[in-house]
Amino acid sequence: MTQTTATAFDNQKYLDTQKASILKRVSSGEGRVYLEFGGKLMGDFHAARVLPGYDPDVKLRLLQSLAPEADIIVCIHAEDIERKRIRADFGITYDTAALKLINDLHAVGVEVTAVVITRFTGQPTALEFKKRLERHGLAV
């Protein structure tokens, strides 16, 4: 007996539906549209394990299709920088992960416009990170 694996996730339908919905909001004339991408933008192998057929880079593909008309902004919490919080999945600090994401996006043709350091109240390590980003030509 041959066993078939059902595909639970249709990547093309996701891309088509999401892009159409986003472009509809953009063209509505209601001003700027802000999107937040939850989870990983690239290499989301957890989602791929739980959703048969899910492309671990489908969110990246969506972002690539929108990037020519979009400003890409990476956000990072100031306290995560200050506390040197470690991402459990990569074993690196959040500020290093932000730099890695910016470099990875650049490598696939998606340019980050700016970085926002959220809940900033003058944390010294966050200030150092800001200066580091600015030396690389990023608006912070």
Side-chain angles (χ1 to χ4, degrees):
M1 177 188 239
T2 305
Q3 187 177 27
T4 60
T5 302
T7 300
F9 193 87
D10 184 333
N11 292 288
Q12 193 58 52
K13 183 176 181 179
Y14 170 83
L15 289 169
D16 294 343
T17 304
Q18 290 291 338
K19 187 170 183 180
S21 178
I22 291 165
L23 292 177
K24 181 179 177 184
R25 285 182 58 199
V26 168
S27 67
S28 72
E30 295 180 18
R32 290 181 181 246
V33 174
Y34 293 90
L35 305 171
E36 179 179 345
F37 284 78
K40 293 182 182 172
L41 281 178
M42 50 183 60
D44 192 347
F45 295 104
H46 171 72
R49 281 192 303 276
V50 298
L51 292 169
Y54 181 86
D55 173 0
D57 293 326
V58 73
K59 287 185 231 175
L60 173 63
R61 291 174 40 210
L62 175 63
L63 195 56
Q64 284 174 309
S65 73
L66 297 168
E69 296 86 27
D71 288 326
I72 310 300
I73 301 170
V74 171
C75 298
I76 182 169
H77 189 292
E79 284 300 318
D80 289 340
I81 300 168
E82 193 65 22
R83 293 183 191 144
K84 299 186 182 334
R85 185 172 173 198
I86 303 288
R87 283 192 53 152
D89 52 354
F90 293 130
I92 59 177
T93 59
Y94 271 54
D95 56 334
T96 300
L99 291 171
K100 179 182 179 336
L101 174 62
I102 292 165
N103 290 333
D104 290 349
L105 289 171
H106 174 76
V108 295
V110 177
E111 297 303 323
V112 172
T113 306
V115 175
V116 173
I117 301 176
T118 64
R119 298 187 182 180
F120 176 74
T121 58
Q123 295 89 336
T125 308
L127 275 172
E128 290 173 26
F129 184 62
K130 176 184 182 290
K131 290 176 188 172
R132 185 173 173 194
L133 292 167
E134 289 172 337
R135 282 193 303 270
H136 285 79
L138 286 162
V140 183

